[in-house]
């Protein structure tokens, strides 16, 4: 006598669907690929807007300051010592400070200063409590 077993078909379908969904999880795609791409596009848009809003004189000053600060940060005596780099690497903090001190902060410095200012305002309002 032959009998029909629908539970084997269901088990096969459920297993197939779980393998399909588990192999390319939507949360992995969203958190890994989409968010990285979205945040980079947002950063690029904000950076372009920051540098694009400068006047012609400011752009010329930034170009001159960039040449000076880059030369200063690349000098052998100013390079940062890092493991695996016997000659050191470009001194990014020095470059950022130089640009800020000369009146043309980089976009990263601008963002950092804006975040510090926002946090100070929130502390003054009592929204942030430091331990």
């Amino acid at each position: 006598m032959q009998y029909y077993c629908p539970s084997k078909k269901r088990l096969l379908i459920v297993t197939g669907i779980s393998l399909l969904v588990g192999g390319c999880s939507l949360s992995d795609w969203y958190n890994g690929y989409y968010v990285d791409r979205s945040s980079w596009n947002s950063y690029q848009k904000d950076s372009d807007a920051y540098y694009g809003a400068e006047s012609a004189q400011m752009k010329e000053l930034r170009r001159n300051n960039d040449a000076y600060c880059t030369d200063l940060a690349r000098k052998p005596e100013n390079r940062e010592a890092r493991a695996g780099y016997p000659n050191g690497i470009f001194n990014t903090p020095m470059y950022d400070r130089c640009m800020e001190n000369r009146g043309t902060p980089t976009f990263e410095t601008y963002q950092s200063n804006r975040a510090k200012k926002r946090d100070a305002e929130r502390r003054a309002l009592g929204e942030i409590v430091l331990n």
Side-chain angles (χ1 to χ4, degrees), residues 61-105:
L61 179 61
R62 180 175 298 282
R63 193 175 305 116
N64 294 338
N65 288 348
D66 181 55
Y68 174 78
C69 294
T70 300
D71 183 48
L72 183 66
R74 279 189 180 158
K75 286 186 176 179
E77 62 268 16
N78 293 334
R79 291 184 183 161
E80 288 184 340
R82 293 272 172 96
Y85 297 93
N87 296 329
I89 62 168
F90 183 80
N91 196 337
T92 304
M94 178 181 275
Y95 173 81
D96 290 341
R97 275 191 312 264
C98 176
M99 290 293 282
E100 186 175 11
N101 291 341
R102 293 176 67 87
T104 52

Side-chain angles (χ1 to χ4, degrees), residues 3 8-9 17 26 32 34 38 47 52 62 76 79 81 83-84 97 99 102 106 109 116-117 123:
Y3 64 93
K8 287 186 181 181
K9 284 185 182 178
I17 290 173
L26 184 61
Y34 176 74
S38 175
S47 175
R62 180 175 298 282
R79 291 184 183 161
R97 275 191 312 264
M99 290 293 282
R102 293 176 67 87
T106 60
T109 306
K116 288 176 190 174
K117 185 177 180 181
R123 270 193 291 283

